[in-house]
Amino acid sequence: AVLAALGIILVRALGGGDETPTQVEVPEVVGMTADQAKAELEGLDLVYEPLEVASQDVADGLVVSTDPPAGTM
């Protein structure tokens, strides 16, 4: 099965100017579809890059892992 693994950029930009970027906790998106994970991450202003990987343990089309892992600030 070919699945999406997501690499997440932790620091979100708050809109330029002199504002300091804010760190947010990476949410748990493993097991979600790529579309669900994308919506979850975009809702937190996180940027992600999908990467297709093969897995025999997770259903096709679901997120198998994130880098950094969920709970990371």
Side-chain angles (χ1 to χ4, degrees), residues 35-62:
D35 288 341
Q36 290 169 327
K38 179 180 178 182
E40 178 80 18
L41 298 171
E42 286 180 346
L44 295 171
D45 293 331
L46 293 173
V47 177
Y48 75 98
E49 297 176 9
L51 171 68
E52 291 187 3
V53 297
S55 175
Q56 295 179 353
D57 301 322
V58 180
D60 192 30
L62 300 182

Side-chain angles (χ1 to χ4, degrees), residues 5-30:
L6 303 177
I8 303 167
I9 299 171
L10 285 178
V11 179
R12 65 179 179 176
L14 293 177
D18 293 329
E19 296 181 37
T20 303
T22 301
Q23 288 189 345
V24 297
E25 184 174 334
V26 176
E28 180 62 69
V29 296
V30 172

